[in-house]
Amino acid sequence: MSLYQVTDGVAIVTLNRPPLNTLGLPLRRHLADALYAAMTDTTVLAVVVTGAGRGFSGGGDITEFDLPCGNQEPAPRALFDRLEACTKPVVAAMHGMALGGGLELALACHARVAHAATQVGLPEVHLGLVPGAGGTQRLPRLVGVEKALNMILSGSSHSAASLGDSGLFDLITEGDVVNEAVALARKLGDEVASGRSPRRTGTLPCHMDNAQAFTAFARATLKTPLGGSPAPKACIDCVEAAALQPFAQGMDRETEIFRSLAGGEQFAALRHVFLAERTATHIVDSPTVPARTIKQAGVIGGGTMGSGISMALANAGISVLLVERDSRALERALKTIHEHYEGLKKRGKLTPEVASARVALITGAVDYDGLADADLVIEAVFEDLDIKRQVFERLDAVAKPGAILASNTSMLDIDHIAAFTRRPADVLGLHFFSPAHVMKLLEVVRGAHTAPDVLSSAMALARKIGKTAVVSGVCEGFIGNRMFEAYMMQAGLLLDEGALPHQVDSAMERWGMAMGPFRINDMAGNDLAAKIRAARIERDPTRVYSGTFDAVVAMGRHGQKVGRGWYDHIPGQRAPALSAEVQAAVVAHSQQLGLQRRTIGAEEIVDRLLLALANEGFKILEEGIAQRASDIDVVYTSGYGFPRWRGGPMFQAEQRGLADVLATMKRFSVGPAYQRADHFWRPASLLVRLATSGDSLRHLNKTETP
């Protein structure tokens, strides 16, 4: 767990808990034992603490947070207090990363030496917490109240080089960080031997003129979604305590707030999503095999999606050949890409050199010849199976053996697409979300014949381009869009019964969704949704949609792109405006159906839409489309605007209680005859089994995780 050696009067303690040296109980005990050994060894004048492998320390072990070992001694706060109180100087030698508890450990040391590329930060706010082991009290004493608060509230990581003049580090080096730290430790050891005390962070002053006014301003400017995490405000409270109270009282305040948040529902949800994203990288029922090398890629189709995919690849240093049907379309696509990078350069987001390098990685062509050397080709053309057949038949003839052939389809059958080639093992789905260079989610669709190394290559690619990847089986709409159809079906039926579009959107947004269902439709295009709906009804005439969807399209209200959809989209006005025309059409449709409109409260709106998602999620699980329940939550929190602090639709169902989910669905199963509510709300057999047995999705997740 930790390595201990003494060289010329300096004890070097190496944290060794791969892969990130997280500070779980075993490592904390080893560190405590090493510090005791150093303090009681008369030959030791000073101590250096460093990390093995990839970095100094990735922080606390989040898996311990709800286990007894999470609070067992030495707990992080007590251990770091003990370290700071050491009579011999302790120097942190930092490389790789020092995040969360890892940075708090370094803050408690008497000096800090960092490699220039070391990433440091306190990301706890993203988990709905405050730093709980002295971060809010020690950091302001080193870098000042304002800078500390900005770092804590952002939760972002920063390179040591960018913090060179902050006061956080005693030395930043491009050389061997341990050697530099040992040299500094010897110097400090000699000073202590001559009668000086180590420089303890907790004893440093933390003063700011008008600190209360500053923190009051910070609270007033917080942009927290309605019902969102209380962690940002709590961070301000803790830093204010650092500025206004003695160190010990500030530490007590931090501990009190941390424990309060750690016992809350939002931390449970955020922790669930954090762990779910890590678990999603494990592929069930697939051998661990090396990934194929991907250095050159091709993208077919230069529209919004194809251009975005090209930029996502180029941003990761992968060269891209973008293929369009003609020179005019290609010129338009390359111009869009160039303008994007020019915009980033002008806003200072990229240096001119980086922007130019990324533009240079994307070249264009109007034929497939240049794809012969590609390691990966991603098709991003229209959602038409015949068009995709033509593309994959041509790719099959041109692409080299071993090239991965991927479709960006959002709903078509990957196995049908793979059958257009003589190499179905090399084919899979890579469903990006628009804009592809921004959105984090990537659904990796495993076909019946997809080879294990093709699947592992897709997951490795996702990591390289900064995506959150989830493996899906083959079905219409995969995980996300299949569930979203049920969500939209209920949204429309609510309009028939008495709700108006803005009431449905408002209820969901106040609950925490980034955007309500009708605003989403306006953004995506109501005409596109109409085509998808028509195709689904053709395959399954029993599906029931509200006629208001088609009524809006018939009025030419196709969405934001034409300035008119469920809302009026006025140029220069960010918020959509209510449409009297649409509201009249909604009411008229209810009259055509012979329905007596009723008042529908926000609670019913939220319940019907969330439970529609969850029930479809249970069906996806029992069919084996999703590997595990937590993967479904990752899809929705990463790609569909589901609030992370709610944990995802499956987590929400579990928190509510599956028996109550069943009871509520049963109430909803009685409705207007045309809706076939009893059919829509028929519960998935897995949901019934778990609710009846008292088993949990959490247990199901664990049994399905390698």
Side-chain angles (χ1 to χ4, degrees), residues 62-92:
I62 194 172
T63 63
E64 283 190 356
F65 276 36
D66 61 349
L67 299 174
C69 58
N71 292 315
Q72 287 179 5
E73 296 297 341
R77 174 185 170 178
L79 175 61
F80 298 165
D81 285 350
R82 190 183 310 173
L83 185 158
E84 188 173 64
C86 285
T87 55
K88 300 174 184 178
V90 182
V91 179

Side-chain angles (χ1 to χ4, degrees), residues 610-640:
L610 291 184
L611 296 188
L613 283 178
N615 192 41
E616 198 65 31
F618 277 101
K619 293 176 184 177
I620 285 172
L621 269 179
E622 65 189 27
E623 294 170 20
I625 301 301
Q627 296 187 105
R628 52 186 76 86
S630 58
D631 283 4
I632 296 173
D633 290 332
V634 173
V635 167
Y636 265 79
T637 54
S638 297
Y640 287 82

